[in-house]
Amino acid sequence: MAEIEVYTARYEREHGQPPAGRRFWLFTLVSETGAILYEVKLNEQLIYPAALERARATAEQRKAFRIIVEP
C-alpha cells in the first residue's frame, strides 16, 4: 500500500508552525477523491508523534489516502 499523505497546511496556517507538542489532536481521514472517510478525535492528550501514529493506524484500516491534521 502507498504511503498515506499527512497534510498539515491548515494546522500551520492557524498556529504558525508545524504540529508539535501535547494536546487533544483531531485528524480527518480522506479518500483519494477527497471524500471524508472518518474523523479521529483523540480523547486524551498525546504528543504529536504518538497521536499521528494512532491516526495512521486508523487510516490504514479505513484505506485512507490522506490524513489532515486539524487546527
Side-chain angles (χ1 to χ4, degrees):
M1 184 174 159
E3 180 71 22
I4 299 169
E5 177 186 318
V6 179
Y7 181 82
T8 62
R10 288 181 191 170
Y11 183 94
E12 291 179 31
R13 268 195 310 273
E14 181 86 16
H15 296 279
Q17 63 186 25
R22 179 180 299 274
R23 59 179 289 199
F24 291 99
W25 293 96
L26 175 63
F27 303 93
T28 301
L29 309 182
V30 296
S31 71
E32 202 162 353
T33 63
I36 294 174
L37 298 172
Y38 194 71
E39 202 172 78
V40 178
K41 185 173 186 176
L42 300 175
N43 59 2
E44 62 181 308
Q45 290 190 31
L46 294 172
I47 58 171
Y48 176 69
L52 182 58
E53 195 53 43
R54 287 207 189 163
R56 205 181 289 278
T58 303
E60 287 173 4
Q61 290 173 345
R62 296 186 178 265
K63 299 183 179 14
F65 175 74
R66 178 180 292 126
I67 298 169
I68 299 172
V69 182
E70 300 291 356

